Amino acid sequence: MFKFFKGDNWFTKIKDGLLKTRENLTARVKSLFSMRKKIDEELWEELEEVLICSDMGVHTSNMIIEDLKKKARELKIKEPEQLVEHLKERIKECFSNRELGLFTAENKPTIYLMVGVNGSGKTTTIGKLARRLKNSGNKVIIAAGDTFRAAAIEQLDVWAQRVGVEIIKNKQGSDPASVCFDAIQASKARGADYLIIDTAGRLQTKYNLMNELKKIGKIISREVSDAPHETLLVLDATTGQNSLSQAKLFNDTVSLTGIVLTKLDGTAKGGMIVAIENELGVPVKLVGVGETMEDLQDFDPQAFTDALFSA
Amino acid sequence: MFESLGEKLQGIFKNLKRKGKLKEQDVDSVLREVRLALLEADVNLKVVKDFTKQVKEKAVGQEIWNSLTPAQLIIKIVKDQLTELMGSANSKLTFAPQPPTILMLIGLQGSGKTTTVAKLSNYLKKQGRNPLMVAADVYRPAAIHQLQVLGEQLKIPVFSMGDKQDPVNVCSGAVKKAVGLGCDVIIIDSAGRLHIDEDLMEELKNIKLKVRPHEILLVVDSMIGQESVNVAKTFEDQVGIDGVILTKMDGDARGGAALSVKAVTGKPIKFVGIGEKTDALEPFYPERIASRILGMGDVLSLIEKAEAAFDVEKVEELEKKIKSQSFNLEDFLVHLQQVKNMGPLDQLVGMIPGISNIVGSSDIKVDEKQFKRIEAMIYSMTPEERRTPEIIRSSRKMRIARGSGNSVSDVNKLLKQFKEVRKTLKHVSQIEKVVKKKGKSKFKLFN
């Protein structure tokens, strides 16, 4: 577990984390292209399946295939293997036109709101993010807005102690919006640079819980007019096509500014990021690539695509 | 739960219905769609391929002797095949002849183990057993505390040795303690781990060696994608599992994992988690879930739930009325009250046959407050109005609106909704009649 402390750069880490994805996808794509002698309908169909298998989703996969077909016609590509480079380029295109990194407000405090379904890794991500911000010299406060799940407050409390940041909390069962209000007042009073707000995990189809989230968002923007400065959906990388529904419905409720993709170490997936960027335009901003506090990294589309396809 | 997949398949079948006879090329074109629908539902590719292959073999063969319509035939084959794939019967927990029975829950981080330990303990307690919950997750901050809070809520004892102890010791300590506490079931909450984390997988093997659990249950998030197969297979190969619990099934995940996990491990899915509360755990019935995948509504489940909460006589009366099409607002009120006893409404709505056709599955949102207003409006009507809603014209509407504290448009809305419900019910009972008359379909909407 401590191997990550050696100070590998994040590219190596994500590469390690993506090893399986890479092996899976590249191996499949390669064998697919090298085994085939000509570009025919069967090849396209199989390629579609390969992309779907990486959790990219039917729609996005089809779109990429269609574009690739067009390209093959235009450039008169006859060899299946030549298609690999074009495939890479095409996937990278999905990540273009995006802002990198997290937004910092001109006036303190910068407020980040973390949302997501149950078990996606919100609390852990907050711990890691708080550590990162604190290490770069900021005063950070975290707010225990998950007042529903048993021991969620205690879990965040442990992180606050580990990282050494202040936590604003109330009792389990109290109104999360009021915790947010208190946290914003405390952040203003104490001159905190960043306030990170935890929320209870909720399935995106739970109407009442989504309304509760809307209320939290309203309180925040009422207290600080341009806040939350980032509303981040924490998404488990093992999730399949439901990730699109998550991104869509959370976006409808609280206008997401980005996605934190967690548990990217050890999963063969990653394709759904492409689908989300492609279909909803919500960019991935951070990725969790390991167990330690340092393993939360800025998402770099170039590195991601390279890691995904490097042999 | 599975409406999305159901919708998808129903869309395909709709196209098929217009065609007269089932030909091989029809089967192929349908199966291409079925395959994509299943893939979109996160069923693993390999599983999908096997599935469509089997369906094709059966579909082409059966055409010769079966006189069902092509659509009925395909529904039947796909459904049978789905059922077969997921195991044909509800698989129960096995209990040790000599207590205590030891159950261990394992799985990825965030799949819902701790919550499920509490739900399962609560479920077993309701069956008259005395569970002991064991806090063996020493890694995640406050995981032990979480189980303790849940234990307090449910009045179920929790065994813990703090977070400094080896989980293997915690588990064997719990076994020693259980008998003294008078507990006959031990449920171990293990830490979440990645299936490729060798150290932690080793730890599970050690716990298994030390305490010899009677059942090891893999907890799987129903939202998991193609990875489901790798996860299930690795846990099965490395540790060995006896069954699966699918969690977060109350969302809109298409739940393809249910198929995939069963297909690669051969181990039954025993329970499903269907909500945030500690009683939101149900046994898994493959037959019913398969019906649901086909968008036919889980009528069986609905009826079972209804039996617990419904007044049987009232239900029979209601059913008679539905069939005789004399369903009125009084019955509607009774129905609403019965439904309210059954639990969270958004879960129930999804079980109503055909509902996914009427509204998109993600559009099913039930605001429970709305039901109170509907009740108030019906209470503000005279018995005559309730029995024959047709007589409610403008002055009556105004009186009802004032009496219930609503607006006339609310009353209009209620009456419109009621008409729609009546239409749907009429439709359902007609389908049933047709089905009964033909006597060829296995599917019963009511029994």
Side-chain angles (χ1 to χ4, degrees):
Chain A
M1 266 217 292
F2 292 98
K3 62 186 173 220
F4 290 126
F5 280 125
K6 281 179 207 154
D8 318 25
N9 65 25
W10 87 267
F11 179 79
T12 323
K13 276 182 209 163
I14 195 169
K15 223 171 129 178
D16 285 345
L18 283 171
L19 195 68
K20 286 189 64 207
T21 319
R22 210 178 61 232
E23 279 173 355
N24 247 345
L25 194 62
T26 331
R28 291 209 50 182
V29 172
K30 278 213 158 168
S31 73
L32 180 67
F33 284 106
S34 53
M35 269 167 60
R36 302 251 165 211
K37 295 229 162 49
K38 60 178 196 305
I39 299 170
D40 55 11
E41 208 33 58
E42 221 175 304
L43 175 94
W44 293 117
E45 208 163 287
E46 258 186 67
L47 184 53
E48 178 195 34
E49 283 175 0
V50 173
L51 296 182
I52 289 170
C53 260
S54 77
D55 281 328
M56 212 173 277
V58 174
H59 180 74
T60 305
S61 302
N62 279 341
M63 213 176 79
I64 289 172
I65 298 293
E66 286 311 312
D67 288 357
L68 209 57
K69 274 184 184 172
K70 222 167 105 191
K71 197 135 231 172
R73 266 199 310 272
E74 273 168 17
L75 303 175
K76 297 196 168 56
I77 299 170
K78 290 273 180 292
E79 292 298 310
E81 274 186 74
Q82 282 179 291
L83 281 177
V84 178
E85 275 313 302
H86 290 291
L87 181 61
K88 262 172 85 168
E89 278 309 310
R90 181 61 192 83
I91 289 173
K92 266 186 215 165
E93 266 173 40
C94 295
F95 296 120
S96 57
N97 302 326
R98 46 174 299 132
E99 287 165 43
L100 292 171
L102 295 181
F103 181 81
T104 300
E106 267 175 46
N107 301 316
K108 304 195 274 198
T110 298
I111 301 176
Y112 296 156
L113 178 65
M114 314 298 273
V115 301
V117 299
N118 317 63
S120 59
K122 284 175 296 301
T123 308
T124 309
T125 301
I126 289 169
K128 290 177 179 178
L129 184 57
R131 161 73 138 241
R132 220 174 82 151
L133 293 169
K134 193 195 173 217
N135 282 358
S136 33
N138 296 296
K139 183 173 168 60
V140 181
I141 291 181
I142 54 183
D146 181 356
T147 57
F148 178 78
R149 205 200 74 203
I153 298 167
E154 287 77 3
Q155 187 178 346
L156 196 65
D157 215 355
V158 173
W159 278 105
Q161 283 163 29
R162 276 187 198 172
V163 178
V165 296
E166 193 180 342
I167 178 171
I168 304 296
K169 59 186 176 184
N170 204 328
K171 281 198 298 286
Q172 195 192 333
S174 58
D175 178 14
S178 82
V179 177
C180 293
F181 179 83
D182 292 347
I184 293 169
Q185 302 314 318
S187 304
K188 284 178 181 170
R190 282 158 233 185
D193 298 297
Y194 290 92
L195 168 64
I196 313 174
I197 299 170
D198 191 14
T199 59
R202 65 200 77 218
L203 295 180
Q204 69 275 21
T205 50
K206 303 271 166 161
Y207 187 62
N208 292 338
L209 293 178
M210 292 305 271
N211 271 347
E212 179 194 271
L213 199 57
K214 209 179 255 175
K215 184 180 161 197
I216 292 173
K218 263 188 211 153
I219 294 284
I220 296 170
S221 45
R222 194 187 70 197
E223 295 306 309
V224 178
S225 60
D226 55 341
H229 303 98
E230 293 276 2
T231 303
L232 300 169
L233 174 71
V234 180
L235 185 67
D236 184 331
T238 51
T239 313
Q241 295 313 299
N242 194 250
S243 51
L244 275 170
S245 163
Q246 289 177 26
K248 192 175 174 310
L249 294 178
F250 274 101
N251 196 28
D252 289 349
T253 308
V254 285
S255 301
L256 299 174
T257 58
I259 284 170
V260 182
L261 193 66
T262 59
K263 310 178 204 177
L264 199 57
D265 47 334
T267 160
K269 305 297 175 277
M272 81 278 216
I273 326 175
V274 182
I276 290 172
E277 294 247 4
N278 193 35
E279 292 184 26
L280 298 166
V282 181
V284 181
K285 294 210 166 172
L286 299 169
V287 290
V289 290
E291 301 254 331
T292 67
M293 284 201 266
E294 281 73 19
D295 293 322
L296 184 74
Q297 309 286 348
D298 282 337
F299 178 73
D300 178 344
Q302 182 71 37
F304 177 82
T305 314
D306 283 346
L308 203 63
F309 283 99
S310 65
Chain B
M1 204 184 281
F2 282 118
E3 287 89 352
S4 310
L5 178 54
E7 271 163 28
K8 193 96 191 164
L9 292 178
Q10 274 189 343
I12 299 163
F13 295 136
K14 225 179 265 166
N15 291 335
L16 197 73
K17 271 176 202 156
R18 294 196 201 95
K19 297 178 184 173
K21 270 202 163 183
L22 186 66
K23 295 170 195 153
E24 197 184 333
Q25 74 222 49
D26 284 342
V27 176
D28 280 340
S29 72
V30 170
L31 285 184
R32 161 134 184 109
E33 292 303 316
V34 168
R35 195 191 62 170
L36 284 180
L38 291 172
L39 284 174
E40 227 180 322
D42 291 322
V43 181
N44 182 267
L45 178 69
K46 198 185 159 298
V47 178
V48 172
K49 282 192 162 173
D50 289 349
F51 181 78
T52 48
K53 201 178 142 209
Q54 286 160 350
V55 171
K56 189 183 170 178
E57 277 167 15
K58 288 191 181 167
V60 176
Q62 279 200 15
E63 190 206 5
I64 308 159
W65 57 269
N66 207 312
S67 57
L68 294 174
T69 67
Q72 282 173 324
L73 188 62
I74 295 265
I75 290 174
K76 183 181 150 32
I77 297 164
V78 171
K79 185 211 160 227
D80 286 353
Q81 203 59 40
L82 279 173
T83 309
E84 202 183 310
L85 211 124
M86 287 192 284
S88 47
N90 164 35
S91 181
K92 294 198 163 113
L93 291 173
T94 45
F95 291 94
Q98 194 74 30
T101 300
I102 304 170
L103 310 174
M104 178 160 76
L105 270 56
I106 62 175
L108 300 179
Q109 291 99 334
S111 55
K113 284 173 298 304
T114 309
T115 305
T116 307
V117 165
K119 285 181 180 176
L120 189 58
S121 302
N122 188 29
Y123 178 86
L124 294 173
K125 193 186 171 196
K126 279 186 182 164
Q127 295 190 337
R129 298 188 187 265
N130 288 316
L132 173 68
M133 304 197 283
V134 183
D137 180 357
V138 299
Y139 307 106
R140 180 165 63 92
I144 296 171
H145 190 74
Q146 184 182 351
L147 202 60
Q148 283 165 340
V149 171
L150 291 166
E152 247 166 66
Q153 275 172 20
L154 298 168
K155 303 201 166 35
I156 293 172
V158 175
F159 181 86
S160 147
M161 289 166 68
D163 58 3
K164 302 282 182 286
Q165 278 283 345
D166 185 343
V168 181
N169 293 339
V170 177
C171 294
S172 60
V175 176
K176 277 176 211 144
K177 205 66 180 257
V179 184
L181 287 167
C183 295
D184 53 5
V185 186
I186 297 171
I187 305 179
I188 299 170
D189 180 26
S190 69
R193 64 205 74 216
L194 285 170
H195 52 297
I196 53 162
D197 188 325
E198 283 170 19
D199 294 345
L200 285 179
M201 291 302 272
E202 199 59 40
E203 180 194 285
L204 282 183
K205 286 185 221 168
N206 290 336
I207 296 176
K208 186 185 175 184
L209 275 176
K210 186 84 181 183
V211 301
R212 305 237 162 244
H214 300 92
E215 293 238 6
I216 296 179
L217 298 166
L218 178 67
V219 179
V220 179
D221 187 331
S222 60
M223 296 182 284
I224 193 169
Q226 296 287 321
E227 185 72 351
S228 59
V229 164
N230 294 338
V231 173
K233 209 173 170 323
T234 315
F235 275 104
E236 163 70 354
D237 291 349
Q238 301 253 319
V239 188
I241 61 171
D242 302 287
V244 176
I245 300 180
L246 267 184
T247 60
K248 307 178 204 173
M249 290 279 268
D250 46 329
D252 63 347
R254 293 166 187 185
L259 276 77
S260 306
V261 169
K262 180 62 178 51
V264 292
T265 63
K267 297 294 156 63
I269 294 162
K270 299 202 170 184
F271 292 95
V272 291
I274 49 158
E276 304 241 351
K277 294 188 180 136
T278 43
D279 59 355
L281 185 79
E282 281 189 340
F284 179 79
Y285 297 100
E287 166 98 18
R288 297 176 193 178
I289 296 290
S291 293
R292 205 162 177 150
I293 289 176
L294 297 173
M296 303 184 72
D298 196 346
V299 178
L300 274 176
S301 243
L302 185 68
I303 285 171
E304 192 184 68
K305 270 203 157 183
E307 272 169 3
F310 266 45
D311 181 330
V312 178
E313 272 174 29
K314 277 187 185 163
V315 174
E316 278 173 1
E317 208 176 293
L318 208 63
E319 223 174 277
K320 244 184 247 162
K321 290 211 164 164
I322 291 172
K323 284 178 185 167
S324 67
Q325 291 161 29
S326 64
F327 188 71
N328 62 32
L329 275 167
E330 250 173 9
D331 306 318
F332 190 54
L333 185 65
V334 172
H335 190 63
L336 280 183
Q337 284 161 346
Q338 300 280 18
V339 166
K340 253 169 48 183
N341 292 339
M342 286 162 67
L345 289 163
D346 40 359
Q347 280 176 26
L348 291 162
V349 173
M351 292 179 176
I352 300 168
I355 198 86
S356 57
N357 272 351
I358 300 163
V359 287
S361 61
S362 56
D363 293 335
I364 301 175
K365 283 172 196 153
V366 182
D367 184 358
E368 309 225 356
K369 274 186 206 146
Q370 200 62 33
F371 277 75
K372 277 198 185 132
R373 301 176 62 186
I374 291 173
E375 261 179 37
M377 282 189 270
I378 299 178
Y379 280 136
S380 300
M381 296 173 187
T382 65
E384 197 196 354
E385 285 165 348
R386 292 181 208 169
R387 276 175 222 138
T388 42
E390 290 77 13
I391 64 167
I392 303 175
R393 302 272 173 221
S394 54
S395 72
R396 287 178 192 261
K397 278 181 192 166
M398 261 159 73
R399 197 201 70 244
I400 293 163
R402 241 180 290 138
S404 62
N406 288 292
S407 66
V408 172
S409 75
D410 287 328
V411 178
N412 280 332
K413 228 199 259 161
L414 166 67
L415 292 171
K416 207 178 144 212
Q417 277 172 351
F418 170 71
K419 261 188 209 159
E420 269 164 27
V421 167
R422 190 150 66 172
K423 228 196 288 172
T424 311
L425 290 172
K426 202 170 147 187
H427 187 63
V428 168
S429 63
Q430 273 167 353
I431 293 172
E432 194 192 7
K433 268 186 203 157
V434 172
V435 169
K436 269 197 183 150
K437 218 159 86 193
K438 285 200 172 176
K440 277 164 189 164
S441 171
K442 276 171 80 178
F443 313 123
K444 286 177 194 150
L445 292 168
F446 289 97
N447 50 344

